[in-house]
Amino acid sequence: MSTQEKLISHVMKEEAVGCRNKVTVVGVGMVGMASAISILLKDLCDELALVDVMEDKLKGEAMDLQHGALFLKTHKIVADKDYSVTANSKVVVVTAGARQQEGESRLNLVQRNVNIFKFIIPNIVKYSPNCILLVVSNPVDILTYVAWKLSGFPRHRVIGSGTNLDSARFRHLMGEKFHLHPSSCHGWIIGEHGDSSVAVWSGVNIAGVSLQNLNPNMGADGDSENWKDVHKKVVDGAYEVIKLKGYTSWAIGMSVADLVESIMKNLHKVHPVSTLVQGMHGVKDEVFLSIPCVLGNSGLTDVIHMTLKPEEETQLVKSAETLWGVQKELTL
Amino acid sequence: MSSVLQKLITPLASSSAEPPRNKVTVVGVGQVGMACAVSILLRDLCDELALVDVMEDRLKGEMMDLQHGLLFLKTSKVVADKDYAVTANSRLVVVTAGVRQQEGESRLNLVQRNVNVFKAIIPQIVKYSPNCTILVVSNPVDVLTYVTWKLSGLPKHRIIGSGTNLDSARFRHLMAERLGIHASSFNGWVLGEHGDTSVPVWSGANVAGVNLQKLNPEIGTDADKEQWKATHKAVVDSAYEVIKLKGYTNWAIGFSVADLTES
């Protein structure tokens, strides 16, 4: 008898149940791995799968995570170039694709990343036909649309990480101004995750006290407190970090884990994420932009109707037109 | 700004800020340093985190990237500077600075290069946090923990090397995987040098108190038919293997440092 047989007896006759809360991360670059460890350190899944085309790097990352298994509550971490390893995932986080170079805008990445998605998305769908897709790769609003088209999934199961991170950055900056924790500073950035995002000043509040009521010029050019600059810092934030360390990873990783948490735990929490906004706020085209949405284990089940000023709606429509202009040239 | 602030908030206590109670500093913002920092943050272990390094742009970029995630964390302050003044009043200082093993290079080769780096770092740490505990991670960790003890003049109970915390974790993972159980349910200790000559204490290896050496008296020896010794060899080789595949190791050491920090 082997040591194992002397120690342990298997007593269950049926097949093991296997994973119930599996998460896959596609792409093991800096963003993918930051998302993976944020998800692992928050105990969000019972199995984690990693996929990438770079086989050595993939195997090395999986081993490094497995060596930390003692400190985690996720028993199974698997990785392969072959998508069969992703089977039965509840949530698939897509971070694969080219990233912005210094000074490059997100829209430049489009066609390169569409081609990558043509390979990835059908493979994901094949092995996890009921999963929820969470798209992170940039330009996220366009690529969420692309993932929706390529997957054939209903729109509630295709979510873009959108302005969840922009809003987090805004709330951090607001927190610094008032010496408060960001979670006590409320502000919503919606629309495009990028240069033309919209800061909804009317909603900015602390303990329900509207800051625009205290400062009616908030966000306008005449504003003595220059809130517009706070929004500009949010837009520029990614470019600045890229210039200093080459890429961004930690903040986006944590924001992805925040979204995965709401989905896996069925929290019905409201997050600013990218969804189909056709028919809302004057948007006519089939585009994805970030608005406040309710996330749970079915996916993105509800949207919140914000009361926007005319100039805010104009901005959303303008973003939608820019995105549609790019989308209609794509070969899917 | 001040008028909205005044209309909104009335301070009740005096305005001087309280010093942090559980401040952690991480020296070195390379892959290991940042993995330690993120693991510590995601486990809510400190009320303030300071980062130090000589590469100023990288340091500022890492600090900003963490600050952008503060909404999701329970640590209210993340600071960074080349100047060690930013580390003042730390309870724990994690030292990851220094050069790392190249592919195929042993940890002992790194010694003299890292001793020179430590001569610059350690006195600065002690200057600003004379009551801290120092956790040394840089390799070869056992030698550099000795070096830190000598350079700092701190009592030996406040100088700790991350040592075989990671080797033991790897050992428990690999052994547990062979048995189909969680790593935390396999008890086994690897002691001695963090490196090629580490010692797996087979006489203590057990699951639920059942001693494996009693079940298999040859366990860990060359005569062992089941070759359990290979599992320890895999532990020794694992860092080299991960380095060969992805260029460095960071996640496992990061989690293991957070584990020590928590205790």
Side-chain angles (χ1 to χ4, degrees), chain A residues 250-261:
Chain A
W250 307 123
I252 181 67
M254 292 178 200
S255 91
V256 163
D258 181 51
L259 300 174
V260 171
E261 184 180 32

Side-chain angles (χ1 to χ4, degrees), chain A residues 277-285 313-314 316-318 320-321:
Chain A
V277 291
Q278 187 178 36
M280 292 179 71
H281 299 294
V283 173
K284 303 245 175 347
D285 302 307
E313 291 213 331
T314 309
L316 284 187
V317 170
K318 221 170 91 184
E321 284 166 2

Side-chain angles (χ1 to χ4, degrees), chain A residues 6 61 64 214 245 249, chain B residues 7 65 215 246 250-251:
Chain A
K6 286 185 210 171
E61 292 291 3
D64 206 0
L214 299 182
K245 68 175 246 196
S249 58
Chain B
K7 282 185 216 175
D65 205 2
L215 297 182
K246 66 176 250 198
N250 64 335
W251 305 125

Side-chain angles (χ1 to χ4, degrees), chain B residues 121-138:
Chain B
I121 290 177
I122 304 302
Q124 290 286 305
I125 293 174
V126 175
K127 173 178 173 186
Y128 288 103
S129 305
N131 300 314
C132 74
T133 298
I134 301 182
L135 178 57
V136 181
V137 184
S138 320

Side-chain angles (χ1 to χ4, degrees), chain B:
Chain B
M1 197 68 264
S2 52
S3 65
V4 166
L5 193 56
Q6 282 157 2
K7 282 185 216 175
L8 183 70
I9 301 178
T10 302
L12 297 181
S14 74
S15 52
S16 58
E18 286 251 334
R21 292 179 196 234
N22 286 308
K23 179 169 172 176
V24 173
T25 287
V26 176
V27 181
V29 298
Q31 299 294 347
V32 172
M34 290 313 294
C36 294
V38 171
S39 302
I40 287 169
L41 286 172
L42 282 166
R43 296 192 52 192
D44 301 338
L45 298 178
C46 59
D47 55 7
E48 184 175 327
L49 179 78
L51 303 174
V52 204
D53 201 303
V54 293
M55 300 180 65
E56 293 181 80
D57 278 358
R58 175 89 181 260
L59 179 65
K60 185 173 176 198
E62 293 290 3
M63 175 193 75
M64 283 180 71
D65 205 2
L66 291 181
Q67 286 172 340
H68 290 165
L70 283 178
L71 169 63
F72 309 112
L73 299 172
K74 302 277 169 34
T75 300
S76 60
K77 198 169 167 191
V78 173
V79 291
D81 206 304
K82 196 174 65 159
D83 187 328
Y84 279 75
V86 81
T87 70
N89 298 314
S90 295
R91 199 159 159 203
L92 178 72
V93 178
V94 179
V95 183
T96 72
V99 295
R100 64 163 181 246
Q101 286 157 270
Q102 298 303 307
E103 191 182 324
E105 187 184 14
S106 90
R107 291 176 184 92
L108 286 174
N109 260 17
L110 307 171
V111 181
Q112 191 57 55
R113 293 196 277 162
N114 280 343
V115 167
N116 297 336
V117 173
F118 272 44
K119 282 181 180 170
I121 290 177
I122 304 302
Q124 290 286 305
I125 293 174
V126 175
K127 173 178 173 186
Y128 288 103
S129 305
N131 300 314
C132 74
T133 298
I134 301 182
L135 178 57
V136 181
V137 184
S138 320
N139 275 317
V141 66
D142 304 294
V143 175
L144 289 178
T145 308
Y146 166 84
V147 168
T148 303
W149 176 51
K150 287 292 181 190
L151 288 174
S152 66
L154 295 180
K156 63 181 191 224
H157 71 272
R158 287 206 271 130
I159 309 287
I160 304 168
S162 60
T164 56
N165 197 48
L166 178 55
D167 309 52
S168 298
R170 286 178 171 140
F171 183 65
R172 294 172 72 179
H173 159 66
L174 293 171
M175 293 292 287
E177 209 182 31
R178 261 180 95 159
L179 297 171
I181 56 178
H182 192 266
S184 64
S185 296
F186 179 88
N187 300 298
W189 291 74
V190 177
L191 307 179
E193 182 204 0
H194 168 61
D196 302 343
T197 68
S198 66
V199 180
V201 184
W202 293 107
S203 58
N206 73 87
V207 175
V210 180
N211 186 296
L212 260 62
Q213 199 174 51
K214 287 222 169 69
L215 297 182
N216 175 1
E218 322 241 80
I219 198 170
T221 66
D222 291 317
D224 175 17
K225 282 191 230 62
E226 293 164 38
Q227 279 299 294
W228 285 96
K229 196 175 180 177
T231 310
H232 175 243
K233 186 173 188 309
V235 172
V236 170
D237 291 344
S238 48
Y240 298 113
E241 245 215 282
V242 175
I243 290 172
K244 205 166 107 184
L245 292 166
K246 66 176 250 198
Y248 54 89
T249 90
N250 64 335
W251 305 125
I253 181 65
F255 299 158
S256 91
V257 163
D259 179 53
L260 299 173
T261 301
E262 183 184 45
S263 289

